[in-house]
Amino acid sequence: MKTFIRFFLLISIPIFIAVIVGFTIIQKNVISETKQQLVKDTKQKWLIVKDDFASVSGKNYLVYNKYAEISDKTNLRFTLIDKNGNVILDSTVVYEKIDLLDNHADRPEIKEALKTGNGTVIRYSKTLNKKLFYYAGKLPNGNILRIAYPFSYIKMLEKSITMQMTAVFTVLLVTIIIIVALLAQKLSLPIQRLNYIAENVEKGKTNIHFPKFRDPQMAKIAALIYKIFQAMLNKQNTLKAEQEKLEHIFSVMDEGILLTDTNNRVIHINESFKTLFDTDVEMGDNLLESLNDAELIDFFDEILQNDTVNRAQFPFRERIFEVYVNTMNDQKLVILHDVTDRIKYQLFKAELTGNISHELKTPISMIMNYAETLMINDDLDDKTRKKFLKTIYSSTDRLNELINDIVELHKLESLGENFEISEPVDLSGLKENMQMLYANVEDKDISFHFDNTKVNFFSEHLQSVITNLIDNAIKYSDGRRIGVTVHKKNSQLHITVDDEGPKIAEGDKKRIFERFYTCSKSRNKEKSGTGLGLSIVKHIVELYEGVIKLKTNEWGGNSFHIIMQEKSTESKN
Ligand SMILES: Nc1ncnc2c1ncn2[C@@H]1O[C@H](COP(=O)(O)OP(=O)(O)OP(=O)(O)O)[C@@H](O)[C@H]1O
Ligand SMILES: [Mg+2]
């Protein structure tokens, strides 16, 4: 519609202006033509009637009467004036009053006629009180014969001409407008169709109906647009597929991925990012404004201030993130990789290697020293020899224990959080195993209270936790009584191992779960271990999202209380 109106106005306005200008010019010309014709006509009339006045030199009733009658019928006025300007006859004035008329010598047409032979003027008549058209001509005797028309006659003539012309031009204009409208419609239709195609292409519509074009040029343009559109569509589809692929990759990546503009508005964010930082920021949000954790805001504020960051480590709370930032085309790509476990593992490995070599040194040097003494001194008595061999044996035993612990710890480290439990543990079976295992322990009175049920745990894990705690109670407690309770409550397993003390010192309570930590008191004890037992226990407990509580029991000894969450039967994956 817009195009049509534009076309219509574009064609009709100049035509309209041309018609109006043409109309005005023609109207002016016709009117001036008519006036000239009137002058000619009057001159002819003057020539026809001049003979009647040529011989009149004074007031003449006969002539007056004849022309008074003509004046009545035609509205023409005949005036005869002598060369001094005195009116001799006037066909529109009562005969008797002619003498009273003014001298006409000052009338412009009279002046002109006296000078040049004739004169024409349109002016107001004081005699008749109306506007008249005058034609005055000099007669052979020197008098002036003047013929006048009332101006209203000319006006009427003009009006009639204008009216007729207006009618003709109105018809003409209406015809032109109709033609122009049809023409504009014809011209604008293909453009409207092209516009329709272009608009739909812009909107990204895929099922556009392509109208037919009669004009070959237009058809060519339409075909071209269609071709461009198809190419664009193909590109768009390829891009979409690429984008979906990328989004899929982003969604399955462990790394948090964030794409923002320069104003920190989120262009893309993946699920891992939201999970890592427990946020529900969405695309289109301003990252810093949407986060409601001051520490997190500071963390990202610091990161986003950089244009490029290449695998730098940024700590956040208890975690460490390896951060990559790249700014391109006013967009910032941030990739965050949680490397806490990797770093912890590296630290653990370094620490473990150091600790292991340190722990290995003592028994190995003991074995070497005693073995060397035995080799060099042949004259050692049997008692000393036996004593030395016993020491070598106990050092080897200690080495064996240490290596077993390290192997178990390593197994736990590599197991990770996601493991499947193939078969539940029967607690009464486990109780029997334990009773058998500790049947030969002298000077200790171990009581086992196990629920008669099955629990979803790794059998080795439960055994390891319980035996480590019992071993410690046997090794470090001076009392006789040791109580072992395994009880299931809802999906939680409660393991308690009680001894009669001595109580573990407050300062040691937290540290005994560290790797290779042994309390200073028990260090000197003959039975002191490698300090790995409780760290293995702690590790297992963590695998089941559990807790360890160390309290004083009613016997005044240590009570190790463990609560672990049973694994669901289905794998976590
Ligand atoms: N029931 C307990 N009573 C007193 N002290 C204990 C008890 N359990 C653990 N401890 C102290 O905590 C330390 C750490 O125990 P942990 O079991 O980790 O190592 P360990 O027994 O020394 O060596 P491992 O268990 O590897 O043979 C022990 O050395 C001991 O000093
Ligand atoms: Mg131990």
Side-chain angles (χ1 to χ4, degrees), residues 172-188:
L172 191 73
L173 210 65
V174 169
T175 316
I176 287 170
I177 284 171
I178 292 168
I179 293 169
V180 165
L182 290 172
L183 196 70
Q185 170 77 1
K186 194 172 157 37
L187 281 173
S188 67

Side-chain angles (χ1 to χ4, degrees), residues 97-148:
K97 288 187 178 169
I98 292 172
D99 299 330
L100 302 174
L101 288 171
D102 286 348
N103 186 292
H104 276 39
D106 60 342
R107 306 291 198 269
E109 71 281 2
I110 305 296
K111 270 188 185 167
E112 186 74 20
L114 283 169
K115 219 175 181 183
T116 62
N118 56 52
T120 317
V121 82
I122 294 166
R123 66 171 176 79
Y124 193 78
S125 160
K126 284 181 208 162
T127 321
L128 299 179
N129 273 339
K130 55 184 172 188
K131 220 171 176 184
L132 293 173
F133 166 74
Y134 293 97
Y135 176 80
K138 206 195 239 176
L139 293 168
N141 61 2
N143 287 346
I144 306 289
L145 172 62
R146 189 182 71 176
I147 301 180

Side-chain angles (χ1 to χ4, degrees), residues 251-280:
S251 68
V252 296
M253 272 169 82
D254 283 340
E255 283 84 359
I257 294 180
L258 174 79
L259 188 68
T260 65
D261 64 12
T262 38
N263 299 320
N264 300 331
R265 204 157 287 283
V266 178
I267 299 168
H268 187 87
I269 187 164
N270 73 342
E271 279 308 310
S272 296
F273 186 98
K274 293 189 208 169
T275 317
L276 277 174
F277 299 102
D278 190 24
T279 166
D280 51 5

